[in-house]
Amino acid sequence: MAMKTSSAKFKDRVDEGIHNDFMRLAVSSAQERLHGRRLTAVDELGSWEDWRSLGEEIRQHVLSNLDFYLHQLALNVSKRGGHVFFAETAEQASGYIKDVIVKKNAKKVVKSKSMVTEEINLNATLEAVGLDVVETDLGEYILQVDDHDPPSHIVAPALHKNKEQIRDVFKEKLAYTQTEKPEELTAHVRGILRKDFLSADVGITGCNFAIAETGSIGLVTNEGNADLVTALPKTQITVMGMERLVPTFDEFEVLVSLLTRSAVGQRLTSYITALTGPRDEGDVDGPEEFHLVIVDNGRSSILGTEFQSVLQCIRCAACINVCPVYRQVGGHSYGSIYPGPIGAVLSPLLGGYDDFKELPYASTLCAACTDACPVKIPLHDLLRKHREVIVEKEKMAPFSEKMAMKAFGIGAASPMLYKFGSKMAPSAMSPFKTGDIISKGPGPLKTWTESREFPAPGKESFRDWFKNREKGGKSS
Amino acid sequence: MKVTLFATCLVDLFQSNVGKATVELLERLGCEIDFPVSQICCGQPAYNSGYTKESKEAMKKMIKTFADAEYVVTPSGSCAAMFKEYPVLFKGDAVWEKKAASLAAKTYELSQFIVDVLKVTDVGATLKGKATYHTSCHMTRLLKVKEAPAILLSHVRGLEVTPLPDAQNCCGFGGTFSVKMGDISGQMVEEKVCNIEATGADFLIGGDAGCLMNIGGRIQRKGQPVKVLHIAEVLNSI
Ligand code: SF4
């Protein structure tokens, strides 16, 4: 799956989302569960704001010295016998990985969860040359089995499905005969995956954070699948976004703590693994060959711009879990493998405005995302900045909007609302008015009045009242 | 104490009652109110829509309008937060940065002003019934005013304030969002109104006219008996 997950129009995707009651219930209950858990985990840590500042500082430091740390990382990986490949584009990254695998005459590939491999369209590239690619994260596995349903969340990719739907998918695709109990569903998948782990030739993982000083790869999971992906197959390939690294284990510890608390409200996840290079002599397990693929794919062009802070992201999804728009429309509406606030900021940067120009507007700028972000990315402000670019540089704003906003510019003698208000005040609005309300608005009010009344402007504006009052005149 | 009122465009045009209540309340608390008529909109609709250049013209006009004020008080968390953002927008501007900073420093949202500056927590209001309070996003997250409205409401005689479930979720107003993405906005406000209904409250109180227009519009459409009040109106009930 590449970054773009749908060719349907934004409006149609949203329409589907807001009318999908199953999905919306699944999303809102997940949001509530995660919200509560995150707050508890964060409280428990104490002085959360200091931790956030520390997280921000670490990420900013890495970004300002990215070339240094990438160099150090590559050097240390090579020293331990690993191969490092810098991929400028998605195609280069997936092409390199394909070549490595094909050369090995491999048949089966097991993968642990990785968003960046989705971004570089890895599965399709590998499947095109006849490889059997198996996702081993439960959520990803469900989606893969369900005819490659796109992920709707970066941590819980199958969040949009409830257990009954998962049971039905398994019944149809895996000859599953048991109930929708999570334990039974999981046990069934475990049985299948065990065989895949044992027979796979290559294991592919993502990377939560690479540690530059030691050349290690840090992986955070709750299922332990990444550990099997890296312990059993002979060849391991790890794919990372070029910004996903930390200087030393000290910073790793801080960021992992922020990540697990923000993502799932846990102090730590069940498995946190740091792997350093291929198997050493005398090691009982681990790969014989190790490749690290470092993906740019548009990231370096974000560096040094007003959007640089988005590269601080540690993909915890806290912003998604608190987003009131995501709650209503679900992940698929965003049409990107990166949904929610982080997706609305990142997708246009990595994938271009043509495909993702609506996303920055899919926000009330309520700032819940900014508040939740453990590394203090000002997400709502970055969304606003996107709008600025769309208006000023991309010139993609609708004409009517431009005209309305112009009023602010011309000395602002009569800004939009005043114009709008005074136009509405007298007879102009009377066909739409019943008493003091407008139930079927014209123009931009149409979508508002589909679900709500709009107040007709009062007979007397506040300023008139104040003026009369000062004059000692009659006021109501 | 001399207070210069920034009424906000929504209050001026659509909710003059809120403006009147603000004036009467502050006068009752011993303030002398000035309302410069050259005030317009804070520029937020343009700024948040990406029309930064245009919005700055409106902002300059507002900076000039309030240049001589001692305290600028507004019955809106969102518009106050916009004033507070001005210095960021004019950063590096030799003429306007300082002036923007001075306006930001003397701007207060109404409840914040009453509690923090006037040091009053009981304004002597009475309103009988059960209420729930909508914590508007910009007021709580950008302006970081969380306690003041709750403290003031807790002292209103006869008023029982009950918590609103999922209070942290936005009501779906978001300025131009409410018309640009009207269907998503409609779903958001519907969820908010269901939560309000669930409290069994007689009143829904809030501190931002935009949110109240949105929530109130939905309540009216559904024909519910809940009365929507701005906190200024509640505090002015005696
Ligand atoms: S933007 Fe912040 S909150 Fe959202 S996923 Fe990234 S780190 Fe987490």
Side-chain angles (χ1 to χ4, degrees):
Chain A
M1 198 155 305
M3 219 173 77
K4 186 171 162 181
T5 59
S6 165
S7 50
K9 283 207 182 101
F10 176 74
K11 211 179 162 343
D12 296 335
R13 295 197 306 260
V14 167
D15 205 49
E16 207 182 310
I18 57 181
H19 291 108
N20 184 344
D21 292 341
F22 273 120
M23 179 277 292
R24 293 182 49 200
L25 192 66
V27 170
S28 58
S29 49
Q31 275 200 337
E32 264 145 52
R33 216 171 40 240
L34 289 165
H35 178 73
R37 275 208 232 145
R38 183 174 62 86
L39 292 186
T40 316
V42 152
D43 272 357
E44 199 186 68
L45 193 59
S47 45
W48 178 241
E49 284 310 306
D50 295 341
W51 280 94
R52 286 178 81 207
S53 301
L54 186 58
E56 178 190 31
E57 208 180 294
I58 293 171
R59 295 301 292 141
Q60 285 181 346
H61 170 80
V62 168
L63 293 177
S64 327
N65 301 281
L66 195 55
D67 46 352
F68 173 82
Y69 288 118
L70 278 173
H71 182 73
Q72 192 187 18
L73 174 70
L75 212 67
N76 287 325
V77 170
S78 312
K79 260 195 217 156
R80 298 293 297 247
H83 305 271
V84 180
F85 180 72
F86 278 98
E88 216 176 295
T89 63
E91 292 70 32
Q92 281 175 11
S94 51
Y96 172 84
I97 298 166
K98 181 193 73 189
D99 291 348
V100 168
I101 299 175
V102 168
K103 250 188 237 150
K104 298 251 151 240
N105 275 322
K107 304 252 152 14
K108 184 174 284 194
V109 177
V110 281
K111 279 183 73 200
S112 66
K113 188 170 161 17
S114 151
M115 291 309 297
V116 71
T117 59
E118 308 252 5
E119 190 187 311
I120 63 172
N121 202 18
L122 184 61
N123 288 18
T125 310
L126 299 184
E127 279 161 0
V129 293
L131 287 162
D132 181 12
V133 183
V134 183
E135 293 286 354
T136 65
D137 168 87
L138 181 61
E140 292 287 354
Y141 182 78
I142 293 165
L143 299 181
Q144 190 179 34
V145 168
D146 192 14
D147 299 327
H148 301 272
D149 191 18
S152 69
H153 187 279
I154 60 174
V155 169
L159 187 89
H160 55 287
K161 286 192 181 355
N162 59 25
K163 49 186 193 290
E164 287 77 16
Q165 289 168 315
I166 296 168
R167 175 202 59 204
D168 294 344
V169 170
F170 283 8
K171 272 189 175 162
E172 194 195 325
K173 309 279 181 183
L174 303 174
Y176 179 72
T177 51
Q178 287 159 283
T179 72
E180 70 284 357
K181 282 207 190 101
E183 303 78 37
E184 290 176 9
L185 292 166
T186 323
H188 188 75
V189 174
R190 180 177 291 150
I192 300 174
L193 287 182
R194 182 118 319 167
K195 293 186 201 110
D196 289 318
F197 281 124
L198 289 168
S199 59
D201 310 291
V202 177
I204 297 181
T205 77
C207 168
N208 290 98
F209 306 102
I211 297 115
E213 190 184 51
T214 57
S216 311
I217 300 304
L219 293 169
V220 178
T221 76
N222 261 328
E223 295 167 21
N225 58 319
D227 302 77
L228 289 173
V229 165
T230 54
L232 299 174
K234 284 197 170 147
T235 305
Q236 180 193 334
I237 304 172
T238 290
V239 192
M240 64 179 272
M242 68 184 285
E243 79 286 14
R244 301 295 293 275
L245 72 175
V246 289
T248 72
F249 271 97
D250 288 345
E251 293 81 18
F252 179 67
E253 196 186 324
V254 174
L255 291 184
V256 166
S257 186
L258 291 174
L259 172 64
T260 58
R261 283 168 205 264
S262 302
V264 277
Q266 288 173 279
R267 271 179 235 160
L268 291 174
T269 47
S270 311
Y271 300 88
I272 293 169
T273 311
L275 301 157
T276 312
R279 166 197 309 218
D280 265 343
E281 238 172 273
D283 282 357
V284 290
D285 57 14
E288 289 166 12
E289 195 175 310
F290 172 70
H291 296 259
L292 177 63
V293 180
I294 301 174
V295 180
D296 182 333
N297 197 31
R299 286 165 176 74
S300 58
S301 51
I302 303 173
L303 278 173
T305 69
E306 55 186 352
F307 293 102
Q308 175 167 311
S309 59
V310 76
L311 296 174
Q312 286 163 218
C313 177
I314 59 172
R315 302 285 190 275
C316 71
C319 56
I320 301 176
N321 298 338
V322 297
C323 178
V325 170
Y326 178 89
R327 184 184 179 91
Q328 303 299 336
V329 303
H332 288 169
S333 298
Y334 292 81
S336 163
I337 55 162
Y338 298 116
I342 176 62
V345 174
L346 194 59
S347 308
L349 293 170
L350 296 182
Y353 286 103
D354 279 341
D355 283 335
F356 300 111
K357 62 178 176 304
E358 293 93 351
L359 300 193
Y361 295 95
S363 164
T364 59
L365 306 185
C366 76
C369 46
T370 300
D371 247 23
C373 180
V375 290
K376 289 175 111 173
I377 302 174
L379 290 153
H380 76 283
D381 200 47
L382 296 182
L383 289 170
R384 189 197 54 73
K385 285 197 165 107
H386 266 312
R387 298 176 186 185
E388 201 176 286
V389 174
I390 289 168
V391 169
E392 287 179 9
K393 292 209 190 90
E394 301 285 322
K395 313 242 179 270
M396 282 174 163
F399 181 72
S400 57
E401 181 186 284
K402 266 193 309 218
M403 294 323 285
M405 294 299 175
K406 246 194 168 144
F408 284 90
I410 45 176
S414 53
M416 182 183 68
L417 205 62
Y418 277 95
K419 239 179 172 169
F420 187 53
S422 47
K423 224 193 261 166
M424 280 173 61
S427 53
M429 275 294 137
S430 52
F432 308 104
K433 257 170 71 170
T434 3
D436 289 336
I437 55 172
I438 297 163
S439 296
K440 252 196 175 148
L445 276 188
K446 189 168 170 289
T447 54
W448 172 293
T449 52
E450 263 159 25
S451 53
R452 307 149 267 208
E453 313 296 0
F454 192 84
K459 285 183 206 79
E460 185 185 40
S461 71
F462 170 76
R463 62 179 65 217
D464 292 340
W465 174 81
F466 197 88
K467 201 159 71 191
N468 278 338
R469 189 171 181 263
E470 268 188 327
K471 278 198 216 140
K474 250 187 32 201
S475 58
S476 45
Chain B
M1 190 175 293
K2 234 183 134 165
V3 166
T4 306
L5 178 67
F6 163 32
T8 79
C9 37
L10 284 180
V11 164
D12 192 5
L13 285 169
F14 295 103
Q15 311 209 346
S16 54
N17 280 342
V18 175
K20 294 175 203 172
T22 305
V23 171
E24 288 169 5
L25 171 66
L26 288 173
E27 283 180 348
R28 196 151 52 74
L29 296 174
C31 302
E32 192 190 318
I33 312 295
D34 173 34
F35 176 83
V37 290
S38 59
Q39 64 181 274
I40 42 158
C41 170
C42 64
Q44 187 174 182
Y47 179 61
N48 279 357
S49 303
Y51 294 81
T52 309
K53 262 192 292 184
E54 286 81 354
S55 72
K56 278 168 112 170
E57 294 309 314
M59 292 173 189
K60 285 179 188 166
K61 183 140 189 178
M62 291 300 257
I63 294 173
K64 275 193 224 155
T65 299
F66 293 101
D68 297 328
E70 195 179 334
Y71 291 103
V72 177
V73 176
T74 179
S76 161
S78 186
C79 305
M82 188 70 244
F83 272 17
K84 298 270 182 204
E85 186 79 6
Y86 280 14
V88 179
L89 267 125
F90 288 102
K91 208 175 166 88
D93 186 314
V95 182
W96 292 96
E97 184 176 1
K98 252 204 178 139
K99 295 181 185 179
S102 128
L103 174 58
K106 64 188 177 189
T107 297
Y108 294 85
E109 179 277 331
L110 177 65
S111 68
Q112 181 189 31
F113 179 75
I114 296 173
V115 173
D116 292 354
V117 180
L118 299 180
K119 309 275 183 218
V120 174
T121 52
D122 182 352
V123 298
T126 302
L127 180 67
K128 286 211 168 45
K130 191 169 165 184
T132 192
Y133 180 76
H134 169 64
T135 47
S136 47
C137 304
H138 289 176
M139 171 120 76
T140 48
R141 299 204 183 97
L142 302 185
L143 197 64
K144 310 227 181 281
V145 171
K146 295 173 189 160
E147 313 293 333
I151 296 173
L152 291 170
L153 289 175
S154 72
H155 288 108
V156 175
R157 280 151 203 79
L159 194 68
E160 179 202 340
V161 184
T162 178
L164 180 60
D166 288 330
Q168 76 282 355
N169 283 344
C170 172
C171 72
F173 176 61
T176 51
F177 173 86
S178 60
V179 287
K180 217 171 175 133
M181 304 250 163
D183 38 1
I184 305 176
S185 168
Q187 296 286 343
M188 291 166 78
V189 72
E190 164 63 6
E191 189 179 337
K192 186 59 74 188
V193 168
C194 288
N195 280 325
I196 293 167
E197 254 177 87
T199 63
D202 309 302
F203 307 109
L204 180 270
I205 303 171
D208 268 288
C211 312
L212 294 182
M213 226 164 94
N214 183 39
I215 299 171
R218 181 67 193 159
I219 288 178
Q220 258 183 321
R221 173 64 58 89
K222 291 180 94 179
Q224 280 166 356
V226 184
K227 197 164 178 214
V228 175
L229 290 172
H230 190 281
I231 189 166
E233 297 173 285
V234 176
L235 299 179
N236 194 40
S237 323
I238 35 173

